[in-house]
Coordinates of all heavy atoms in Angstrom, one line a residue:
G1 N 31.3 24.4 306.6 CA 31.3 23.4 307.6 C 32.2 22.2 307.2 O 32.8 21.6 308.1
R2 N 32.3 22.0 305.9 CA 33.3 20.9 305.4 C 34.7 21.3 305.8 O 35.5 20.4 306.1 CB 33.1 20.7 304.0 CG 34.1 19.7 303.4 CD 33.5 18.9 302.2 NE 34.6 18.1 301.7 CZ 34.7 16.8 301.9 NH1 33.9 16.2 302.8 NH2 35.6 16.1 301.4
H3 N 35.1 22.5 305.7 CA 36.4 22.9 306.0 C 36.7 22.7 307.5 O 37.8 22.3 307.9 CB 36.6 24.4 305.6 CG 36.8 24.6 304.2 ND1 35.7 24.8 303.3 CD2 37.9 24.7 303.4 CE1 36.2 25.0 302.1 NE2 37.5 24.9 302.1
M4 N 35.7 23.0 308.3 CA 35.9 22.8 309.8 C 36.0 21.3 310.1 O 36.8 20.9 310.9 CB 34.7 23.4 310.6 CG 35.0 23.4 312.1 SD 33.8 24.4 313.0 CE 33.0 23.1 313.9
A5 N 35.1 20.5 309.4 CA 35.2 19.0 309.6 C 36.5 18.5 309.2 O 37.1 17.6 309.8 CB 34.0 18.4 308.9
G6 N 37.0 19.0 308.1 CA 38.4 18.6 307.6 C 39.5 19.1 308.5 O 40.4 18.3 308.7
F7 N 39.3 20.2 309.1 CA 40.3 20.7 310.1 C 40.3 19.8 311.3 O 41.4 19.6 311.9 CB 39.9 22.1 310.5 CG 40.8 22.7 311.6 CD1 42.1 23.1 311.2 CD2 40.4 22.9 312.9 CE1 42.9 23.7 312.2 CE2 41.2 23.5 313.8 CZ 42.5 23.9 313.5
L8 N 39.2 19.2 311.7 CA 39.1 18.3 312.8 C 39.5 16.9 312.4 O 39.6 16.0 313.3 CB 37.7 18.3 313.4 CG 37.2 19.6 314.0 CD1 35.8 19.5 314.4 CD2 38.1 20.0 315.2
G9 N 39.8 16.6 311.1 CA 40.2 15.3 310.7 C 39.1 14.3 310.5 O 39.3 13.1 310.6
L10 N 37.9 14.8 310.2 CA 36.7 13.9 310.1 C 36.3 13.7 308.6 O 35.4 12.9 308.4 CB 35.6 14.5 310.8 CG 35.7 14.4 312.4 CD1 34.6 15.3 313.0 CD2 35.6 13.0 312.8
T11 N 37.0 14.2 307.7 CA 36.6 14.0 306.3 C 37.6 13.0 305.6 O 38.7 12.8 306.1 CB 36.7 15.4 305.5 OG1 38.0 15.9 305.7 CG2 35.7 16.3 306.0
P12 N 37.1 12.4 304.6 CA 38.0 11.3 304.0 C 39.2 11.9 303.3 O 39.2 13.0 302.8 CB 37.1 10.6 302.9 CG 35.8 11.4 302.9 CD 35.8 12.4 304.0
R13 N 40.3 11.1 303.3 CA 41.5 11.4 302.6 C 41.2 11.2 301.1 O 40.4 10.3 300.8 CB 42.7 10.6 303.0 CG 43.1 10.9 304.4 CD 44.4 10.2 304.8 NE 45.4 11.0 304.2 CZ 46.7 10.8 304.4 NH1 47.1 9.9 305.2 NH2 47.6 11.6 303.9
E14 N 41.8 12.0 300.3 CA 41.6 11.9 298.9 C 42.9 11.5 298.1 O 43.9 12.1 298.3 CB 41.0 13.2 298.3 CG 40.6 13.1 296.9 CD 39.8 14.3 296.5 OE1 39.5 15.2 297.3 OE2 39.4 14.4 295.3
Y15 N 42.8 10.5 297.3 CA 43.9 10.0 296.5 C 43.4 10.1 295.1 O 42.8 9.1 294.6 CB 44.3 8.6 296.8 CG 44.6 8.4 298.3 CD1 43.7 7.9 299.1 CD2 45.9 8.7 298.8 CE1 44.0 7.7 300.5 CE2 46.2 8.5 300.1 CZ 45.2 8.0 301.0 OH 45.5 7.8 302.3
S16 N 43.6 11.3 294.4 CA 43.0 11.4 293.1 C 44.1 11.8 292.1 O 45.1 12.3 292.4 CB 42.0 12.6 293.1 OG 41.0 12.3 294.0
S17 N 43.8 11.4 290.9 CA 44.7 11.7 289.8 C 43.8 11.8 288.5 O 43.1 10.9 288.2 CB 45.7 10.6 289.6 OG 46.5 10.8 288.5
G18 N 43.9 12.9 287.8 CA 43.2 13.1 286.6 C 41.7 13.0 286.9 O 41.2 13.8 287.7
L19 N 41.0 12.2 286.2 CA 39.5 12.1 286.4 C 39.1 11.0 287.4 O 37.9 10.9 287.7 CB 38.8 11.8 285.0 CG 39.0 12.9 284.0 CD1 38.4 12.5 282.7 CD2 38.4 14.2 284.5
R20 N 40.1 10.3 287.9 CA 39.7 9.2 288.8 C 39.8 9.8 290.2 O 40.9 10.2 290.7 CB 40.7 8.1 288.6 CG 40.6 7.0 289.7 CD 41.3 5.8 289.4 NE 40.3 4.8 288.9 CZ 40.5 4.0 288.0 NH1 41.7 3.9 287.3 NH2 39.6 3.1 287.6
R21 N 38.7 9.7 291.0 CA 38.7 10.2 292.3 C 38.6 9.1 293.3 O 37.6 8.3 293.2 CB 37.5 11.2 292.5 CG 37.5 11.9 293.8 CD 36.4 12.9 293.8 NE 36.4 13.6 295.0 CZ 35.4 14.2 295.6 NH1 34.2 14.1 295.1 NH2 35.5 14.8 296.7
R22 N 39.5 9.0 294.2 CA 39.5 7.9 295.2 C 39.4 8.5 296.6 O 40.3 9.3 297.0 CB 40.7 7.0 295.1 CG 40.8 6.3 293.8 CD 42.0 5.4 293.8 NE 42.5 5.3 292.4 CZ 43.5 5.9 291.9 NH1 44.2 6.7 292.6 NH2 43.9 5.7 290.6
L23 N 38.4 8.2 297.4 CA 38.3 8.6 298.8 C 38.6 7.5 299.7 O 38.2 6.4 299.5 CB 36.9 9.2 299.0 CG 36.5 10.4 298.2 CD1 35.0 10.7 298.5 CD2 37.3 11.6 298.5
G24 N 39.5 7.8 300.7 CA 39.9 6.8 301.6 C 39.3 6.9 303.0 O 38.2 7.4 303.1
R25 N 40.0 6.6 304.0 CA 39.6 6.7 305.4 C 39.7 8.1 305.8 O 40.2 9.0 305.1 CB 40.4 5.8 306.3 CG 40.3 4.3 305.9 CD 41.2 3.5 306.7 NE 41.0 2.1 306.3 CZ 41.7 1.1 306.8 NH1 42.7 1.3 307.6 NH2 41.4 -0.1 306.4
I26 N 39.2 8.4 307.1 CA 39.3 9.8 307.5 C 40.7 10.2 307.7 O 41.6 9.3 308.0 CB 38.5 10.0 308.9 CG1 39.0 9.1 310.0 CG2 37.0 9.8 308.6 CD1 38.4 9.4 311.3
S27 N 41.0 11.4 307.6 CA 42.4 11.9 307.6 C 43.1 11.9 308.9 O 44.3 11.7 309.0 CB 42.5 13.3 307.0 OG 41.8 14.2 307.8
K28 N 42.3 12.1 310.0 CA 42.8 12.1 311.4 C 43.9 13.2 311.5 O 44.9 13.0 312.3 CB 43.4 10.7 311.8 CG 42.4 9.7 311.9 CD 43.0 8.4 312.4 CE 42.0 7.3 312.4 NZ 42.5 6.0 312.9
R29 N 43.8 14.3 310.8 CA 44.8 15.4 310.9 C 44.6 16.4 312.0 O 45.5 17.0 312.4 CB 44.7 16.1 309.5 CG 45.2 15.3 308.4 CD 46.7 15.2 308.5 NE 47.2 14.4 307.4 CZ 48.2 14.8 306.6 NH1 48.7 15.9 306.7 NH2 48.6 13.9 305.6
G30 N 43.4 16.5 312.5 CA 43.1 17.5 313.5 C 43.4 17.1 314.9 O 44.1 16.2 315.2
D31 N 42.7 17.8 315.8 CA 42.9 17.5 317.3 C 42.3 16.2 317.6 O 41.1 15.9 317.4 CB 42.3 18.6 318.1 CG 42.5 18.5 319.5 OD1 43.7 18.3 319.9 OD2 41.6 18.7 320.3
V32 N 43.1 15.3 318.2 CA 42.7 13.9 318.6 C 41.5 14.0 319.6 O 40.6 13.2 319.5 CB 43.9 13.1 319.1 CG1 43.4 11.8 319.6 CG2 44.9 13.1 318.1
Y33 N 41.7 14.9 320.6 CA 40.7 14.9 321.7 C 39.3 15.4 321.2 O 38.3 14.8 321.5 CB 41.2 15.9 322.8 CG 40.3 16.0 323.9 CD1 40.0 15.0 324.8 CD2 39.6 17.2 324.2 CE1 39.2 15.1 325.9 CE2 38.8 17.4 325.3 CZ 38.5 16.3 326.1 OH 37.7 16.4 327.2
L34 N 39.3 16.4 320.3 CA 38.0 16.9 319.8 C 37.4 15.8 318.9 O 36.1 15.6 318.9 CB 38.2 18.2 319.0 CG 37.9 19.5 319.8 CD1 38.1 20.6 318.9 CD2 36.5 19.5 320.3
R35 N 38.2 15.2 318.1 CA 37.6 14.2 317.2 C 37.1 13.0 318.0 O 36.0 12.5 317.7 CB 38.7 13.7 316.2 CG 38.2 12.8 315.1 CD 39.2 12.5 314.1 NE 40.5 12.0 314.6 CZ 41.6 12.7 314.7 NH1 41.6 13.9 314.2 NH2 42.7 12.2 315.2
M36 N 37.7 12.6 319.1 CA 37.3 11.5 319.9 C 35.9 12.0 320.6 O 35.0 11.2 320.7 CB 38.3 11.2 321.0 CG 38.0 10.1 322.0 SD 37.3 10.6 323.6 CE 38.3 11.9 324.1
L37 N 35.9 13.2 321.1 CA 34.6 13.7 321.7 C 33.5 13.6 320.7 O 32.4 13.2 321.0 CB 34.8 15.1 322.2 CG 35.5 15.3 323.6 CD1 35.7 16.8 323.9 CD2 34.8 14.6 324.7
L38 N 33.7 14.1 319.5 CA 32.6 14.2 318.5 C 32.1 12.8 318.1 O 31.0 12.5 318.0 CB 33.0 14.9 317.3 CG 33.0 16.5 317.5 CD1 33.7 17.1 316.3 CD2 31.6 17.0 317.7
I39 N 33.1 11.8 318.0 CA 32.7 10.5 317.6 C 32.0 9.8 318.8 O 31.0 9.1 318.5 CB 33.9 9.7 317.2 CG1 34.4 10.2 315.8 CG2 33.6 8.2 317.0 CD1 35.7 9.6 315.3
H40 N 32.4 10.0 320.0 CA 31.6 9.4 321.1 C 30.3 10.0 321.2 O 29.3 9.3 321.6 CB 32.4 9.6 322.4 CG 33.5 8.7 322.6 ND1 33.4 7.3 322.4 CD2 34.8 8.8 323.0 CE1 34.5 6.7 322.7 NE2 35.4 7.6 323.0
K41 N 30.1 11.3 321.0 CA 28.8 11.9 321.0 C 27.9 11.4 319.9 O 26.7 11.2 320.1 CB 28.9 13.5 320.9 CG 29.7 14.1 322.1 CD 29.1 13.6 323.4 CE 30.0 14.2 324.6 NZ 29.5 13.8 325.9
A42 N 28.5 11.1 318.8 CA 27.7 10.6 317.7 C 27.3 9.2 318.0 O 26.1 8.8 317.7 CB 28.6 10.5 316.4
R43 N 28.1 8.4 318.7 CA 27.7 7.1 319.1 C 26.5 7.2 320.1 O 25.6 6.4 320.1 CB 28.8 6.3 319.8 CG 29.9 5.9 318.9 CD 31.1 5.3 319.7 NE 32.3 5.3 318.9 CZ 32.7 4.3 318.2 NH1 32.1 3.2 318.1 NH2 33.9 4.4 317.5
S44 N 26.6 8.2 321.0 CA 25.5 8.4 322.0 C 24.2 8.7 321.3 O 23.1 8.3 321.6 CB 25.9 9.5 322.9 OG 24.8 9.9 323.7
V45 N 24.3 9.6 320.2 CA 23.1 10.0 319.5 C 22.5 8.7 318.8 O 21.3 8.5 318.8 CB 23.4 11.1 318.5 CG1 22.3 11.3 317.5 CG2 23.7 12.4 319.2
L46 N 23.4 7.9 318.2 CA 22.9 6.7 317.6 C 22.2 5.7 318.6 O 21.2 5.2 318.3 CB 24.1 5.9 316.9 CG 24.4 6.3 315.5 CD1 25.7 5.6 315.1 CD2 23.3 6.0 314.6

């Protein structure tokens, strides 16, 4: 499921080097429309 969420651009970007792991904002790499639908549905659930 993490791979699918990453495909949709909902997982954090990673800027890592060596043993230091830095997670940033969501990658926004996937389909804009699907990501927008999922985020709006999440707001509705909240």
